[in-house]
Amino acid sequence: MFDVAVFGSLFLTLFVIMDPPGITPIFLALTAGRPAKVQRRMAFQAVCVAGGVIALFGLIGQQILDYLHVSMPALMIAGGLLLLLIALDLLTGKTDEPQQTKDVNVALVPLGMPLLAGPGAIVSVILAVQEAGSTSAQVSVWAAILAIHVVLWLVMRYSLLIIRVIKDGGVVLVTRLAGMMLSAIAVQQIINGVTQVIRGG
């Protein structure tokens, strides 16, 4: 009742797309200045949001997109624009957002979506679910989804130890680097979406 090949293929695909090591500096930058307890909670919230979104699209993703008449390129471009706005805030050091609202938004957007549950991950899961023709393949697909989210939580949860080493000055540096990385990810996502639109047209 378990297909190792299906599990391994989807897990590796999601690992590359969701990039647990790469999310570490972005997570540290977005949660900087908050108590460790709050940061741990936000890591858990972000993974739960990502898991919920991925599960939803895994179950009825194609139907949702068809009903809304939304194409995957459009989803990619919209996600890229959202990430670019967040990246600009990190690069400029903008911190004028109310703390309570900021706590909620960081866990949900951009961490939960579209950073973790981005268009790439959503498309991969939709395709994997559609191609899983047997019960064992279906079980393997959902096991891979669960496993990658556990890995993501562990990486973000224990990345908090880094803060104790790099101190405040290091956090500022990490924030700027994360902003630059995130802006590059956002631009690439927009380029991929536009490229698909051109090819489709």
Side-chain angles (χ1 to χ4, degrees), residues 97-151:
E97 195 176 3
Q99 185 70 26
Q100 185 175 0
T101 304
K102 191 173 181 181
D103 285 346
V104 174
N105 285 346
V106 168
L108 304 181
V109 177
L111 278 176
M113 183 177 180
L115 264 179
L116 298 181
I122 289 173
V123 171
S124 297
V125 168
I126 290 175
L127 293 176
V129 170
Q130 290 177 347
E131 292 172 1
S134 63
T135 302
S136 61
Q138 288 284 347
V139 170
S140 302
V141 164
W142 291 103
I145 294 171
L146 177 62
I148 192 62
H149 283 84
V150 170
V151 170

Side-chain angles (χ1 to χ4, degrees), residues 30 81-91 109-110 115 179 182:
L30 291 173
L81 291 173
L82 179 59
L83 287 180
L84 189 57
L85 290 175
I86 302 298
L88 292 175
D89 283 350
L90 291 177
L91 285 170
V109 177
L115 264 179
L182 194 56

Side-chain angles (χ1 to χ4, degrees), residues 2-136:
F2 192 81
D3 192 322
V4 177
V6 171
F7 174 88
S9 176
L10 181 58
F11 180 84
L12 289 176
T13 300
L14 292 178
F15 189 91
V16 171
I17 293 173
M18 302 176 89
D19 191 14
I23 201 68
T24 301
I26 298 173
F27 171 75
L28 291 175
L30 291 173
T31 61
R34 295 175 174 84
K37 182 178 180 180
V38 173
Q39 290 175 314
R40 287 194 294 269
R41 187 181 74 238
M42 292 173 72
F44 182 72
Q45 288 175 339
V47 170
C48 286
V49 169
V53 170
I54 291 293
L56 178 64
F57 276 91
L59 293 171
I60 55 172
Q62 194 60 57
Q63 292 89 330
I64 292 175
L65 295 180
D66 291 343
Y67 178 77
L68 297 175
H69 303 289
V70 174
S71 65
M72 286 312 305
L75 187 63
M76 295 176 72
I77 294 171
L81 291 173
L82 179 59
L83 287 180
L84 189 57
L85 290 175
I86 302 298
L88 292 175
D89 283 350
L90 291 177
L91 285 170
T92 58
K94 182 180 177 183
T95 56
D96 57 357
E97 195 176 3
Q99 185 70 26
Q100 185 175 0
T101 304
K102 191 173 181 181
D103 285 346
V104 174
N105 285 346
V106 168
L108 304 181
V109 177
L111 278 176
M113 183 177 180
L115 264 179
L116 298 181
I122 289 173
V123 171
S124 297
V125 168
I126 290 175
L127 293 176
V129 170
Q130 290 177 347
E131 292 172 1
S134 63
T135 302
S136 61

Side-chain angles (χ1 to χ4, degrees), residues 161-190:
L161 298 175
I162 299 175
I163 295 179
R164 300 177 186 175
V165 177
I166 63 177
K167 307 297 182 184
D168 291 342
V171 169
V172 173
L173 177 61
V174 167
T175 299
R176 298 298 181 267
L177 289 174
M180 188 166 60
M181 291 168 52
L182 194 56
S183 62
I185 293 171
V187 171
Q188 185 61 56
Q189 193 162 297
I190 294 171

